[in-house]
Amino acid sequence: MSVGKMKKYKVMLKHPVLRRHLPKTRWFTKSRTKRMLKTYSSVFIKPNHGSGGSGIIRVKRLKKRYEVRSASRRKVVRSRFLFKAIKSYRNPGHQYLVQKGLRLAKYHGSIFDIRIYLQKPRGKWVVSGEVARVAAPRKYVTNYLKGGHAVSLNRVLYSLFKHNRTKANTYSRKISKLCVIIAKTINKRHPVRELGVDIAIDKKGRIWIIEANSRPGHMLFTQLSDRTMIKTIRRNKRLIRK
């Protein structure tokens, strides 16, 4: 059984460095969701277990209504019908979290986030792959299974920071360092040998930890023309299996 999102969130929340990068996340209840929507313009409601962007619901506060989206389905409802709309998109057999929505930076008009693939083939955590996941047009999730596509992280950061290579490299190093801390921290409580960390950069340039996946997919890396990272990931997988 994979480790749930909330367990990993609580482990990271205790670390003084990681805490600053975590968007507020709580167990989903009506009262918590209402409170968070008063503070934030949007929230994401996610299944505690699950990956690939499946089952994620976004609620966005409009002037007097709420937009509720899940995959390609969308409803705009008044306040009194909000939880009826959310319930229609939820899987009744799953536990859900509610997380602060972020105003993500964009690459060529689409939102993106970053997948860092960490492995522990021997006694040390290594970053085996890093890639930007760019959402399909008008999509609010970036996952490969939801139409997201891979772009070289260096290219995206270079574009984001107006061709300032020094700033792009600084961010890249910060993100890698942060993700190694995440892997070490989670590994102390929940033994894992692989971790896929999803990182976001918001419109103000702040780095956020979206989540850490203990069963990460690696097919995204096959989309890159440079095969170095996918070869490294597969080689380390063989070492881990041994």
Side-chain angles (χ1 to χ4, degrees), residues 69-218:
R69 287 184 66 183
S70 179
S72 57
R73 297 172 296 171
R74 175 181 180 268
K75 293 179 181 180
V76 176
V77 297
R78 293 186 183 277
S79 178
R80 67 178 181 272
F81 298 118
L82 173 61
F83 291 100
K84 187 178 178 182
I86 292 169
K87 188 178 180 181
S88 72
Y89 292 150
R90 284 176 59 201
N91 182 325
H94 289 191
Q95 277 187 305
Y96 282 79
L97 320 171
V98 57
Q99 187 176 77
K100 169 189 173 179
L102 302 171
R103 297 182 71 233
L104 298 184
K106 292 185 177 182
Y107 174 73
H108 293 177
S110 291
I111 62 163
F112 75 91
D113 62 16
I114 297 158
R115 165 55 65 94
I116 305 294
Y117 202 110
L118 298 111
Q119 293 172 298
K120 193 180 181 185
R122 295 190 174 90
K124 184 181 174 186
W125 282 99
V126 293
V127 174
S128 301
E130 51 183 29
V131 67
R133 303 186 304 183
V134 181
R138 295 180 296 281
K139 293 283 187 180
Y140 61 92
V141 291
T142 61
N143 304 72
Y144 170 76
L145 297 173
K146 301 296 178 186
H149 67 279
V151 180
S152 156
L153 179 57
N154 287 338
R155 184 190 300 174
V156 171
L157 292 178
Y158 190 52
S159 169
L160 181 65
F161 297 117
K162 309 287 189 289
H163 309 297
N164 182 333
R165 198 168 293 283
T166 303
K167 194 168 184 180
N169 289 342
T170 299
Y171 263 74
S172 183
R173 284 194 299 271
K174 264 187 196 174
I175 289 165
S176 291
K177 190 176 176 183
L178 187 68
C179 289
V180 170
I181 295 171
I182 292 167
K184 288 178 177 177
T185 303
I186 289 174
N187 191 213
K188 282 179 184 175
R189 287 292 303 274
H190 306 289
V192 288
R193 300 286 296 276
E194 292 188 298
L195 209 62
V197 181
D198 296 336
I199 296 288
I201 299 175
D202 69 16
K203 289 189 173 184
K204 293 181 179 178
R206 186 168 172 183
I207 296 168
W208 294 94
I209 303 162
I210 302 299
E211 62 184 66
N213 302 277
S214 47
R215 289 184 179 176
H218 62 278

Side-chain angles (χ1 to χ4, degrees), residues 5-6 25-28 44-46 48 96-98:
K5 293 180 177 70
M6 184 56 90
T25 304
R26 298 288 185 267
W27 286 115
F28 170 80
F44 284 84
I45 298 165
K46 302 178 176 184
N48 185 40
Y96 282 79
L97 320 171
V98 57

Side-chain angles (χ1 to χ4, degrees), residues 30-47:
K30 289 182 181 181
S31 58
R32 283 188 190 126
T33 304
K34 275 185 178 176
R35 282 199 300 271
M36 286 175 74
L37 280 165
K38 283 179 181 175
T39 308
Y40 311 117
S41 60
S42 67
V43 297
F44 284 84
I45 298 165
K46 302 178 176 184

